[in-house]
Amino acid sequence: MSAISCLSSHTPTRLAEASRLVAKVGSALVTANGQGLDEAAIGEWARQIAALVASGRQVVLVSSGAIACGMQRLGWSKRPSTVPELQAAAAVGQMGLAQIYESAFGSHGLKTAQVLLTHEDLADRTRYLNARSTLTTLLSLGVVPIINENDTVVTAEIKFGDNDTLGALVANLVEADALVILTDQIGLFTADPRKDPNATLIQEAAAGEPALEAMAGGAGTTVGTGGMITKVLAAKRAARSGADTVIASGRERDVLTRLAAGEPIGTLLVAQQEPLAARKQWLADHLQLAGRLHLDAGAVAALAEGKSLLPVGVVEVDGEFERGAAVACLGPDGREVARGLTNYGSSDARRIARRGSHEIADLLGYVDAPELIHRDNLVTL
Ligand SMILES: Nc1ncnc2c1ncn2[C@@H]1O[C@H](COP(=O)(O)OP(=O)(O)O)[C@@H](O)[C@H]1O
Ligand SMILES: N[C@@H](CCC(=O)OP(=O)(O)O)C(=O)O
């Protein structure tokens, strides 16, 4: 049996016990492949989510489609190439999304809340905690939060871009039990089925299994962003907080309610690790880091054993950063092995790199801490 073959596809899945779910619907689905918002499909998901809420579950919906909807409202047949035009389309289209969700859920007696997030909102610890308490309050009030990226204010460099990543970060933020990614395929295939007619569906695998990344390709249409690779990586991220991920077709009849009843549909990517502590989770979810510390092999081994990072194991420091910044720790092969919040800014870190902790006072004239990164502020990857 290969590492990615079915584990237990005929037994009810853990989704049957999931009390908090994040469902993500992709651009291609929401907009019927860019042809304007698919009201019938949106009505179907709203009906199913209303049934889940009525049964005591909490559901967060991450919905794409602002840019595609805005393009249609503005009468643009081609996706614009400039960032301000894309942002303008998103601003126009987000109104369409909000309107349609409000009325679809309203017809089932449910209230919705619009939450637009950026990468920076989730990287800043205070804003992250604010977003978390707002979302959990909305859920406890029985409201369905509808989340999208705040496309209008972000620049290309700091965009989530695809909403799969955003869905995973939201699943971690609210500590969801499951992330359900609905798309235009019935699941993850061994290769892109648009290109390989012999591709077969993966029914179940471990989230984070490296072989999955080799199978997953890019977006299938010009409307979608990211494709399957971002979904596979999203499952890996969501697994860090213990959430299982399902990739399934949003056009499958009653897909959400059947999944929540434990029925195996699409591809189930099972979280296999113990959930990280909330603070470490936040650290692991940073998409951008302020600098990079190059470690020697001994330091890499020490981190793997759960120890703090001492300056003696750091051979080089890249970037300019302040004390308290989130930085990457790279092994001798250049791979990121850990990340953490540094006790020293970059210029001091350079001065104490390769030196024993007892030398810090002489080198800097002060000692903040004997470690460059304390193990409580460090997460290994
Ligand atoms: N291994 C794979 N299995 C299934 N689909 C794949 C695979 N690799 C690439 N794809 C493509 O990913 C597309 C879905 O991603 P995307 O276009 O970004 O949609 P969405 O807007 O739902 O995120 C599919 O239409 C398919 O063409
Ligand atoms: N935030 C963008 C969505 C980005 C996007 O298309 O993502 P995806 O649904 O993952 O292909 C929008 O609303 O247009």
Side-chain angles (χ1 to χ4, degrees):
M1 207 197 272
S2 85
I4 50 154
S5 61
C6 302
L7 301 176
S8 59
S9 63
H10 298 295
T11 53
T13 70
R14 291 199 298 201
L15 264 74
E17 281 109 52
S19 57
R20 185 174 283 175
L21 294 151
V22 173
K24 180 256 170 175
V25 286
S27 281
L29 267 183
V30 174
T31 64
N33 224 351
Q35 304 303 303
L37 294 176
D38 187 339
E39 218 168 323
I42 289 172
E44 268 304 293
W45 303 319
R47 180 185 59 73
Q48 294 174 54
I49 291 172
L52 295 180
V53 172
S55 72
R57 320 256 189 155
Q58 296 182 330
V59 185
V60 177
L61 183 62
V62 174
S63 175
S64 312
I67 294 175
C69 169
M71 280 168 53
Q72 210 233 358
R73 288 189 160 198
L74 291 164
W76 297 349
S77 54
K78 252 183 58 203
R79 191 178 167 92
S81 51
T82 71
V83 173
E85 283 172 312
L86 285 167
Q87 292 180 318
V92 172
Q94 189 62 37
M95 297 295 281
L97 278 181
Q99 240 169 25
I100 203 162
Y101 280 119
E102 174 76 1
S103 79
F105 281 95
S107 69
H108 298 283
L110 281 182
K111 293 187 175 56
T112 51
Q114 173 171 273
V115 181
L116 301 178
L117 292 173
T118 64
H119 161 255
E120 281 173 332
D121 297 325
L122 300 185
D124 180 277
R125 182 86 182 142
T126 309
R127 278 150 78 178
Y128 176 90
L129 294 174
N130 278 340
R132 181 161 76 186
S133 41
T134 304
L135 286 171
T136 51
T137 302
L138 287 167
L139 289 171
S140 66
L141 292 169
V143 174
V144 179
I146 316 262
I147 300 186
N148 197 358
E149 180 163 14
N150 195 353
D151 293 302
T152 319
V153 296
V154 287
T155 59
E157 299 76 50
I158 55 156
K159 260 183 99 56
F160 299 115
D162 64 273
N163 270 357
D164 303 318
T165 310
L166 177 60
L169 297 188
V170 168
N172 292 341
L173 179 69
V174 300
E175 292 173 322
D177 304 298
L179 168 65
V180 178
I181 300 181
L182 298 181
T183 184
D184 58 359
Q185 298 287 336
I186 61 169
L188 171 70
F189 285 74
T190 48
D192 187 346
R194 289 180 196 266
K195 296 181 184 147
D196 182 351
N198 297 319
T200 54
L201 179 71
I202 311 275
Q203 287 180 292
E204 188 167 333
E209 162 63 49
L212 301 173
E213 290 170 39
M215 295 172 179
T221 60
T222 49
V223 181
T225 311
M228 274 298 154
I229 184 67
T230 50
K231 295 174 187 27
V232 164
L233 295 174
K236 186 174 170 179
R237 276 185 192 284
R240 293 200 190 120
S241 65
D244 291 339
T245 295
V246 174
I247 304 171
S249 166
R251 300 193 178 107
E252 175 88 35
R253 182 184 50 81
D254 290 333
V255 60
L256 292 171
T257 45
R258 283 164 58 205
L259 279 170
E263 197 178 319
I265 304 174
T267 302
L268 173 64
L269 300 175
V270 183
Q272 310 239 301
Q273 64 192 84
E274 280 302 306
L276 285 175
R279 186 177 160 76
K280 295 205 173 190
Q281 183 63 63
W282 164 74
L283 201 48
D285 277 345
H286 272 61
L287 298 182
Q288 249 133 36
L289 298 167
R292 304 191 309 173
L293 308 178
H294 296 268
L295 314 192
D296 63 21
V300 172
L303 298 197
E305 287 169 23
K307 296 189 176 143
S308 296
L309 176 65
L310 300 178
V312 68
V314 176
V315 292
E316 208 181 319
V317 176
D318 290 340
E320 299 305 319
F321 50 85
E322 308 270 309
R323 175 178 190 274
V327 296
C329 302
L330 310 183
D333 59 358
R335 209 171 53 83
E336 186 182 352
V337 293
R339 51 182 50 192
L341 303 178
T342 168
N343 285 331
Y344 293 90
S346 50
S347 60
D348 287 351
R350 277 187 193 99
R351 289 161 71 192
I352 60 175
R354 294 199 185 96
R355 310 293 283 266
S357 299
H358 60 281
E359 296 177 83
I360 295 177
D362 283 346
L363 289 163
L364 303 182
Y366 74 95
V367 181
D368 220 322
E371 325 67 32
L372 196 43
I373 303 179
H374 190 272
R375 62 177 186 278
D376 290 349
N377 292 325
L378 190 73
V379 57
T380 48
L381 301 170

